Amino acid sequence: MTDEAKVDVKLNVYQKLNKVQTELKAPKGQFNKFGNYKYRSCEDILEGLKPLLKEVGAIVLLSDSVEFVEGRYYVKARAQFVDTDTAEKIEVSAMAREDDSKKGMDSSQLTGSTSSYARKYRLNGLFCIDDTKDSDATNDHAQGTTQAKNTTYTRMTNQHLNKLFELGNKKGYSQDKVRQRITKKFNKTAEEMTTAEYKQVVLGYEKLPDKE
């Protein structure tokens, strides 16, 4: 078939999204010195998206809103994948709750940090990015590293956190108090703990006497 006879096949919005999902490369460009592992930020994902969006003819629109649910404020982040040829769109959303306080942050910084967290996991869902594990296999450690350096870091699940909060309550600490202690100790939210940090916290509470 000659070039003149070729048909210019237009992708629909779902086909464009599928192409971006399967070809997206978003390297983990950030490093957590405390946990000694690499991770990707919202900005890393967006940088990886730009050339693919240009190629398929699409844009990503991001927006936030603040919602009050059961006495707490949540940042609801939305992401829209929009086909620039047809204006068809696919939308996903994610929510993250602000901590009561976070060391070294004022209220505006706290909201901004929560927004970034929600945006990252919303983009993860839209573009099929698995961010549940940050393995040292991607960190180029030399051979002969210790077992501690080969730890797999897993994002906390609701099951993990419910178990921890129940244990904290048994020892006389409310959920908010447990969260505050985690933030003070690790400078991160409960959801951002690694499995090693989670086990450390659980062990600490298990050693405390039960409340009377």
Side-chain angles (χ1 to χ4, degrees):
M1 181 182 295
T2 63
D3 290 341
E4 290 77 9
K6 290 183 179 179
V7 177
D8 184 14
V9 178
K10 293 291 186 180
L11 302 179
N12 63 40
V13 66
Y14 293 100
Q15 291 170 324
K16 288 184 177 184
L17 177 59
N18 176 259
K19 180 177 176 63
V20 173
Q21 288 176 340
T22 55
E23 296 185 10
L24 174 63
K25 298 185 184 301
K28 295 176 181 178
Q30 314 301 318
F31 184 72
N32 184 304
K33 293 181 179 180
F34 184 87
N36 192 34
Y37 65 94
K38 290 183 178 180
Y39 66 99
R40 65 175 59 84
S41 66
C42 179
E43 290 75 15
D44 292 327
I45 298 172
L46 293 174
E47 282 301 311
L49 280 172
K50 289 177 180 179
L52 288 172
L53 293 174
K54 181 179 180 180
E55 179 182 347
V56 302
I59 59 174
V60 170
L61 300 177
L62 306 178
S63 62
D64 296 331
S65 62
V66 177
E67 300 190 7
F68 189 72
V69 182
E70 296 182 354
R72 296 297 299 267
Y73 286 100
Y74 289 77
V75 174
K76 184 173 184 178
R78 294 181 177 85
Q80 292 181 331
F81 181 86
V82 183
D83 186 333
T84 56
D85 295 319
T86 65
E88 291 181 294
K89 63 183 68 175
I90 299 172
E91 179 177 324
V92 297
S93 63
M95 297 180 70
R97 190 178 76 181
E98 291 187 354
D99 284 339
D100 289 331
S101 63
K102 193 163 187 176
K103 185 177 180 181
M105 288 188 177
D106 60 26
S107 58
S108 61
Q109 290 173 318
L110 178 59
T111 300
S113 174
T114 307
S115 171
S116 295
Y117 183 86
R119 287 185 173 198
K120 174 184 173 181
Y121 286 100
R122 175 194 52 194
L123 290 170
N124 285 350
L126 181 60
F127 296 107
C128 296
I129 300 171
D130 183 3
D131 225 14
T132 58
K133 293 183 179 180
D134 282 295
S135 173
D136 275 7
T138 64
N139 290 357
D140 298 324
H141 289 308
Q143 292 184 352
T145 53
T146 64
Q147 183 64 34
K149 286 188 177 182
N150 290 322
T151 303
T152 296
Y153 295 90
T154 306
R155 185 163 57 91
M156 293 296 99
T157 64
N158 288 335
Q159 184 177 2
H160 282 110
L161 296 178
N162 288 339
K163 177 182 177 181
L164 175 58
F165 296 146
E166 289 175 4
L167 177 60
N169 184 64
K170 184 179 179 182
K171 303 299 181 177
Y173 295 90
S174 66
Q175 177 176 324
D176 285 343
K177 189 64 177 179
V178 172
R179 286 182 174 277
Q180 290 171 11
R181 289 163 66 94
I182 291 171
T183 299
K184 183 177 181 180
K185 184 175 182 63
F186 300 118
N187 194 29
K188 62 175 66 173
T189 66
E191 287 78 6
E192 295 171 320
M193 282 192 298
T194 66
T195 50
E197 292 164 351
Y198 173 79
K199 291 177 181 178
Q200 181 180 343
V201 174
V202 169
L203 181 61
Y205 278 107
E206 287 178 341
K207 291 180 178 180
L208 297 176
D210 293 351
K211 68 176 181 180
E212 297 182 356

mmCIF file of all heavy atoms in Angstrom, residues 96-125:
data_model
loop_
_atom_site.group_PDB
_atom_site.id
_atom_site.type_symbol
_atom_site.label_atom_id
_atom_site.label_comp_id
_atom_site.label_asym_id
_atom_site.label_seq_id
_atom_site.Cartn_x
_atom_site.Cartn_y
_atom_site.Cartn_z
ATOM 1 N N ALA A 96 -7.812 13.138 50.069
ATOM 2 C CA ALA A 96 -6.814 13.006 51.125
ATOM 3 C C ALA A 96 -7.203 13.922 52.269
ATOM 4 O O ALA A 96 -7.679 15.036 52.051
ATOM 5 C CB ALA A 96 -5.416 13.361 50.615
ATOM 6 N N ARG A 97 -7.023 13.450 53.476
ATOM 7 C CA ARG A 97 -7.419 14.231 54.650
ATOM 8 C C ARG A 97 -6.245 14.997 55.216
ATOM 9 O O ARG A 97 -5.135 14.478 55.308
ATOM 10 C CB ARG A 97 -7.978 13.290 55.726
ATOM 11 C CG ARG A 97 -8.642 14.019 56.880
ATOM 12 C CD ARG A 97 -9.227 13.039 57.880
ATOM 13 N NE ARG A 97 -8.185 12.445 58.703
ATOM 14 C CZ ARG A 97 -8.437 11.538 59.656
ATOM 15 N NH1 ARG A 97 -9.676 11.104 59.833
ATOM 16 N NH2 ARG A 97 -7.467 11.041 60.385
ATOM 17 N N GLU A 98 -6.497 16.252 55.587
ATOM 18 C CA GLU A 98 -5.459 17.041 56.246
ATOM 19 C C GLU A 98 -5.240 16.528 57.660
ATOM 20 O O GLU A 98 -6.184 16.212 58.379
ATOM 21 C CB GLU A 98 -5.869 18.517 56.320
ATOM 22 C CG GLU A 98 -5.902 19.226 54.973
ATOM 23 C CD GLU A 98 -6.151 20.709 55.136
ATOM 24 O OE1 GLU A 98 -6.404 21.132 56.281
ATOM 25 O OE2 GLU A 98 -6.081 21.436 54.138
ATOM 26 N N ASP A 99 -3.968 16.439 58.072
ATOM 27 C CA ASP A 99 -3.660 16.161 59.471
ATOM 28 C C ASP A 99 -4.012 17.383 60.306
ATOM 29 O O ASP A 99 -4.084 18.503 59.803
ATOM 30 C CB ASP A 99 -2.171 15.848 59.654
ATOM 31 C CG ASP A 99 -1.828 14.450 59.173
ATOM 32 O OD1 ASP A 99 -2.751 13.625 59.089
ATOM 33 O OD2 ASP A 99 -0.646 14.211 58.878
ATOM 34 N N ASP A 100 -4.213 17.157 61.594
ATOM 35 C CA ASP A 100 -4.490 18.292 62.481
ATOM 36 C C ASP A 100 -3.313 19.257 62.486
ATOM 37 O O ASP A 100 -3.472 20.467 62.582
ATOM 38 C CB ASP A 100 -4.754 17.798 63.913
ATOM 39 C CG ASP A 100 -6.091 17.082 64.011
ATOM 40 O OD1 ASP A 100 -6.999 17.413 63.226
ATOM 41 O OD2 ASP A 100 -6.213 16.192 64.860
ATOM 42 N N SER A 101 -2.118 18.717 62.389
ATOM 43 C CA SER A 101 -0.924 19.555 62.349
ATOM 44 C C SER A 101 0.213 18.737 61.757
ATOM 45 O O SER A 101 0.188 17.517 61.763
ATOM 46 C CB SER A 101 -0.519 20.023 63.759
ATOM 47 O OG SER A 101 -0.184 18.913 64.573
ATOM 48 N N LYS A 102 1.189 19.429 61.220
ATOM 49 C CA LYS A 102 2.373 18.757 60.719
ATOM 50 C C LYS A 102 3.569 19.644 61.020
ATOM 51 O O LYS A 102 3.558 20.827 60.701
ATOM 52 C CB LYS A 102 2.263 18.480 59.217
ATOM 53 C CG LYS A 102 3.332 17.508 58.718
ATOM 54 C CD LYS A 102 2.962 16.928 57.372
ATOM 55 C CE LYS A 102 3.971 15.841 56.986
ATOM 56 N NZ LYS A 102 3.617 15.174 55.722
ATOM 57 N N LYS A 103 4.564 19.066 61.638
ATOM 58 C CA LYS A 103 5.717 19.817 62.119
ATOM 59 C C LYS A 103 6.330 20.659 61.010
ATOM 60 O O LYS A 103 6.606 20.182 59.921
ATOM 61 C CB LYS A 103 6.763 18.834 62.661
ATOM 62 C CG LYS A 103 7.962 19.511 63.314
ATOM 63 C CD LYS A 103 8.901 18.468 63.875
ATOM 64 C CE LYS A 103 10.103 19.125 64.527
ATOM 65 N NZ LYS A 103 11.050 18.114 65.063
ATOM 66 N N GLY A 104 6.516 21.951 61.298
ATOM 67 C CA GLY A 104 7.189 22.839 60.361
ATOM 68 C C GLY A 104 6.309 23.391 59.273
ATOM 69 O O GLY A 104 6.809 24.060 58.377
ATOM 70 N N MET A 105 4.987 23.142 59.308
ATOM 71 C CA MET A 105 4.091 23.616 58.256
ATOM 72 C C MET A 105 3.022 24.532 58.823
ATOM 73 O O MET A 105 2.467 24.263 59.886
ATOM 74 C CB MET A 105 3.387 22.434 57.560
ATOM 75 C CG MET A 105 4.266 21.596 56.676
ATOM 76 S SD MET A 105 3.267 20.406 55.740
ATOM 77 C CE MET A 105 4.535 19.628 54.731
ATOM 78 N N ASP A 106 2.740 25.626 58.080
ATOM 79 C CA ASP A 106 1.572 26.419 58.438
ATOM 80 C C ASP A 106 0.371 25.837 57.702
ATOM 81 O O ASP A 106 0.475 24.859 56.967
ATOM 82 C CB ASP A 106 1.789 27.898 58.098
ATOM 83 C CG ASP A 106 2.058 28.140 56.619
ATOM 84 O OD1 ASP A 106 1.624 27.323 55.792
ATOM 85 O OD2 ASP A 106 2.694 29.153 56.291
ATOM 86 N N SER A 107 -0.820 26.435 57.882
ATOM 87 C CA SER A 107 -2.048 25.858 57.344
ATOM 88 C C SER A 107 -2.028 25.783 55.815
ATOM 89 O O SER A 107 -2.505 24.809 55.219
ATOM 90 C CB SER A 107 -3.263 26.659 57.822
ATOM 91 O OG SER A 107 -3.153 28.021 57.430
ATOM 92 N N SER A 108 -1.489 26.832 55.160
ATOM 93 C CA SER A 108 -1.460 26.824 53.694
ATOM 94 C C SER A 108 -0.521 25.740 53.167
ATOM 95 O O SER A 108 -0.816 25.075 52.168
ATOM 96 C CB SER A 108 -1.032 28.191 53.162
ATOM 97 O OG SER A 108 0.274 28.519 53.608
ATOM 98 N N GLN A 109 0.630 25.558 53.833
ATOM 99 C CA GLN A 109 1.563 24.512 53.417
ATOM 100 C C GLN A 109 0.962 23.132 53.639
ATOM 101 O O GLN A 109 1.161 22.219 52.830
ATOM 102 C CB GLN A 109 2.874 24.639 54.194
ATOM 103 C CG GLN A 109 3.695 25.857 53.816
ATOM 104 C CD GLN A 109 4.899 26.032 54.720
ATOM 105 O OE1 GLN A 109 4.808 25.851 55.933
ATOM 106 N NE2 GLN A 109 6.029 26.391 54.144
ATOM 107 N N LEU A 110 0.211 22.968 54.726
ATOM 108 C CA LEU A 110 -0.428 21.693 55.031
ATOM 109 C C LEU A 110 -1.445 21.332 53.961
ATOM 110 O O LEU A 110 -1.487 20.203 53.474
ATOM 111 C CB LEU A 110 -1.103 21.764 56.400
ATOM 112 C CG LEU A 110 -1.864 20.515 56.874
ATOM 113 C CD1 LEU A 110 -0.927 19.318 56.934
ATOM 114 C CD2 LEU A 110 -2.488 20.767 58.241
ATOM 115 N N THR A 111 -2.265 22.318 53.564
ATOM 116 C CA THR A 111 -3.251 22.071 52.509
ATOM 117 C C THR A 111 -2.565 21.761 51.189
ATOM 118 O O THR A 111 -2.981 20.870 50.448
ATOM 119 C CB THR A 111 -4.176 23.290 52.346
ATOM 120 O OG1 THR A 111 -4.862 23.535 53.570
ATOM 121 C CG2 THR A 111 -5.202 23.048 51.240
ATOM 122 N N GLY A 112 -1.481 22.486 50.877
ATOM 123 C CA GLY A 112 -0.743 22.235 49.644
ATOM 124 C C GLY A 112 -0.141 20.844 49.616
ATOM 125 O O GLY A 112 -0.168 20.160 48.587
ATOM 126 N N SER A 113 0.398 20.377 50.752
ATOM 127 C CA SER A 113 0.975 19.043 50.833
ATOM 128 C C SER A 113 -0.095 17.978 50.641
ATOM 129 O O SER A 113 0.110 16.976 49.947
ATOM 130 C CB SER A 113 1.655 18.864 52.194
ATOM 131 O OG SER A 113 2.115 17.545 52.360
ATOM 132 N N THR A 114 -1.266 18.201 51.248
ATOM 133 C CA THR A 114 -2.370 17.254 51.109
ATOM 134 C C THR A 114 -2.859 17.207 49.675
ATOM 135 O O THR A 114 -3.171 16.140 49.139
ATOM 136 C CB THR A 114 -3.536 17.649 52.040
ATOM 137 O OG1 THR A 114 -3.045 17.806 53.378
ATOM 138 C CG2 THR A 114 -4.631 16.587 52.035
ATOM 139 N N SER A 115 -2.924 18.372 49.024
ATOM 140 C CA SER A 115 -3.345 18.437 47.627
ATOM 141 C C SER A 115 -2.387 17.653 46.736
ATOM 142 O O SER A 115 -2.814 16.890 45.849
ATOM 143 C CB SER A 115 -3.411 19.897 47.165
ATOM 144 O OG SER A 115 -3.612 19.984 45.766
ATOM 145 N N SER A 116 -1.086 17.831 46.947
ATOM 146 C CA SER A 116 -0.097 17.122 46.142
ATOM 147 C C SER A 116 -0.231 15.612 46.311
ATOM 148 O O SER A 116 -0.123 14.840 45.347
ATOM 149 C CB SER A 116 1.326 17.550 46.534
ATOM 150 O OG SER A 116 1.538 18.906 46.220
ATOM 151 N N TYR A 117 -0.487 15.193 47.556
ATOM 152 C CA TYR A 117 -0.656 13.766 47.850
ATOM 153 C C TYR A 117 -1.866 13.214 47.112
ATOM 154 O O TYR A 117 -1.805 12.162 46.469
ATOM 155 C CB TYR A 117 -0.811 13.588 49.360
ATOM 156 C CG TYR A 117 -0.919 12.153 49.812
ATOM 157 C CD1 TYR A 117 0.224 11.395 50.064
ATOM 158 C CD2 TYR A 117 -2.157 11.551 50.004
ATOM 159 C CE1 TYR A 117 0.132 10.081 50.489
ATOM 160 C CE2 TYR A 117 -2.254 10.235 50.425
ATOM 161 C CZ TYR A 117 -1.108 9.510 50.669
ATOM 162 O OH TYR A 117 -1.208 8.203 51.075
ATOM 163 N N ALA A 118 -2.993 13.939 47.168
ATOM 164 C CA ALA A 118 -4.216 13.483 46.503
ATOM 165 C C ALA A 118 -4.035 13.471 44.985
ATOM 166 O O ALA A 118 -4.477 12.545 44.300
ATOM 167 C CB ALA A 118 -5.388 14.386 46.887
ATOM 168 N N ARG A 119 -3.381 14.514 44.455
ATOM 169 C CA ARG A 119 -3.166 14.577 43.005
ATOM 170 C C ARG A 119 -2.309 13.418 42.524
ATOM 171 O O ARG A 119 -2.565 12.811 41.479
ATOM 172 C CB ARG A 119 -2.491 15.902 42.638
ATOM 173 C CG ARG A 119 -3.401 17.101 42.721
ATOM 174 C CD ARG A 119 -2.713 18.349 42.226
ATOM 175 N NE ARG A 119 -3.655 19.473 42.159
ATOM 176 C CZ ARG A 119 -3.438 20.562 41.460
ATOM 177 N NH1 ARG A 119 -2.314 20.702 40.785
ATOM 178 N NH2 ARG A 119 -4.338 21.533 41.439
ATOM 179 N N LYS A 120 -1.295 13.076 43.280
ATOM 180 C CA LYS A 120 -0.405 11.984 42.878
ATOM 181 C C LYS A 120 -1.178 10.675 42.756
ATOM 182 O O LYS A 120 -1.051 9.965 41.751
ATOM 183 C CB LYS A 120 0.728 11.835 43.896
ATOM 184 C CG LYS A 120 1.625 10.634 43.630
ATOM 185 C CD LYS A 120 2.668 10.482 44.717
ATOM 186 C CE LYS A 120 3.453 9.204 44.540
ATOM 187 N NZ LYS A 120 4.465 8.989 45.596
ATOM 188 N N TYR A 121 -1.990 10.354 43.759
ATOM 189 C CA TYR A 121 -2.689 9.078 43.724
ATOM 190 C C TYR A 121 -3.863 9.092 42.764
ATOM 191 O O TYR A 121 -4.285 8.037 42.282
ATOM 192 C CB TYR A 121 -3.088 8.668 45.145
ATOM 193 C CG TYR A 121 -1.864 8.204 45.886
ATOM 194 C CD1 TYR A 121 -1.205 9.035 46.779
ATOM 195 C CD2 TYR A 121 -1.310 6.959 45.617
ATOM 196 C CE1 TYR A 121 -0.041 8.632 47.408
ATOM 197 C CE2 TYR A 121 -0.143 6.541 46.240
ATOM 198 C CZ TYR A 121 0.480 7.377 47.135
ATOM 199 O OH TYR A 121 1.646 6.982 47.733
ATOM 200 N N ARG A 122 -4.376 10.264 42.441
ATOM 201 C CA ARG A 122 -5.391 10.357 41.398
ATOM 202 C C ARG A 122 -4.755 10.081 40.042
ATOM 203 O O ARG A 122 -5.313 9.366 39.209
ATOM 204 C CB ARG A 122 -6.012 11.753 41.423
ATOM 205 C CG ARG A 122 -6.999 12.036 40.315
ATOM 206 C CD ARG A 122 -7.250 13.508 40.251
ATOM 207 N NE ARG A 122 -6.005 14.247 40.181
ATOM 208 C CZ ARG A 122 -5.888 15.545 40.384
ATOM 209 N NH1 ARG A 122 -6.956 16.262 40.700
ATOM 210 N NH2 ARG A 122 -4.741 16.168 40.291
ATOM 211 N N LEU A 123 -3.580 10.637 39.797
ATOM 212 C CA LEU A 123 -2.865 10.365 38.548
ATOM 213 C C LEU A 123 -2.445 8.897 38.467
ATOM 214 O O LEU A 123 -2.476 8.290 37.393
ATOM 215 C CB LEU A 123 -1.635 11.269 38.440
ATOM 216 C CG LEU A 123 -1.918 12.755 38.195
ATOM 217 C CD1 LEU A 123 -0.633 13.563 38.345
ATOM 218 C CD2 LEU A 123 -2.527 12.978 36.813
ATOM 219 N N ASN A 124 -2.059 8.318 39.596
ATOM 220 C CA ASN A 124 -1.716 6.900 39.623
ATOM 221 C C ASN A 124 -2.883 6.061 39.121
ATOM 222 O O ASN A 124 -2.708 5.120 38.338
ATOM 223 C CB ASN A 124 -1.361 6.455 41.044
ATOM 224 C CG ASN A 124 0.013 6.918 41.483
ATOM 225 O OD1 ASN A 124 0.786 7.421 40.688
ATOM 226 N ND2 ASN A 124 0.304 6.763 42.756
ATOM 227 N N GLY A 125 -4.096 6.398 39.586
ATOM 228 C CA GLY A 125 -5.269 5.637 39.176
ATOM 229 C C GLY A 125 -5.605 5.826 37.711
ATOM 230 O O GLY A 125 -5.922 4.857 37.013
#
